[in-house]
Amino acid sequence: FVVVVVAGSDGVCVPDVVLIFLFFFCLFLKVTRDSDVYELCSLVVGKTVYITAQWVGGTFQAYYQNEGAFTSVEGWQQPLNRSLINYRLPESGVTNRTYCNFNNYDQCIPPIKVAAKACTSCFGLECEACIWQEYPASLNKEEEYSNCCPCLYWYADEYNVPFLKVNC
């Protein structure tokens, strides 16, 4: 199995090309579980990852999970990994770009600009995590993420950065 990394003249990798190559490789060659590329192919073609999780404390704000697997028996029987902690993100649901206005523009746009540059190779849920990480630690990240959702959508439309349109 050979992975060809495609790079432009500026030396930057072109992830979509490699991803498309891997997708067709995995889909049509019927990769088996004993293959070295089974987990990579399972991820690329979108198989379900089965995990177990347990709330941390009684606040329902964070949970532990296990490593996960692409089969339910393996995924549900793995022990929890207490170093894998996921935190609940607030969901505002407001994606109307007209709500990005004088009340939140100055506060939201700087971290969005950073995320637009830092998260260019993200996909799906990975984009949410990447964008979340770009908000300054000195600010209340939950409030920022929730209040800045309309500005994410405004910036995404204004500057053609579609990966910024995440589920806020």
Side-chain angles (χ1 to χ4, degrees):
F1 176 71
V2 176
V3 175
V4 177
V5 178
V6 179
S9 60
D10 58 358
V12 176
C13 291
V14 184
D16 292 340
V17 174
V18 174
L19 184 59
I20 291 168
F21 169 77
L22 285 173
F23 177 79
F24 285 108
F25 172 85
C26 296
L27 191 63
F28 294 114
L29 291 184
K30 307 281 188 221
V31 175
T32 61
R33 290 192 54 194
D34 58 344
S35 169
D36 290 340
V37 294
Y38 173 74
E39 288 194 357
L40 175 62
C41 283
S42 296
L43 182 67
V44 169
V45 299
K47 285 190 174 184
T48 301
V49 176
Y50 296 89
I51 65 165
T52 55
Q54 179 182 13
W55 291 110
V56 176
T59 63
F60 302 107
Q61 298 298 311
Y63 63 89
Y64 301 115
Q65 74 172 64
N66 64 3
E67 302 290 338
F70 291 103
T71 64
S72 59
V73 173
E74 290 176 23
W76 292 333
Q77 289 184 355
Q78 291 177 349
L80 289 174
N81 180 343
R82 299 218 180 256
S83 67
L84 288 176
I85 302 175
N86 295 294
Y87 296 92
R88 178 181 169 265
L89 294 177
E91 187 170 340
S92 71
V94 178
T95 59
N96 184 337
R97 56 181 271 146
T98 61
Y99 288 111
C100 182
N101 54 41
F102 67 91
N103 290 322
N104 56 359
Y105 182 89
D106 289 340
Q107 178 182 0
C108 297
I109 293 302
I112 290 172
K113 284 181 178 180
V114 173
K117 290 181 181 177
C119 306
T120 57
S121 64
C122 71
F123 181 76
L125 187 59
E126 182 185 31
C127 295
E128 291 184 38
C130 185
I131 293 165
W132 171 261
Q133 291 302 317
E134 297 307 327
Y135 285 97
S138 61
L139 299 173
N140 178 344
K141 284 190 175 188
E142 289 184 11
E143 186 176 319
E144 290 294 309
Y145 193 76
S146 171
N147 290 339
C148 291
C149 194
C151 291
L152 281 169
Y153 278 69
W154 175 83
Y155 195 93
D157 289 340
E158 197 69 21
Y159 296 99
N160 193 27
V161 190
F163 66 83
L164 290 177
K165 290 187 173 184
V166 296
N167 295 321
C168 307

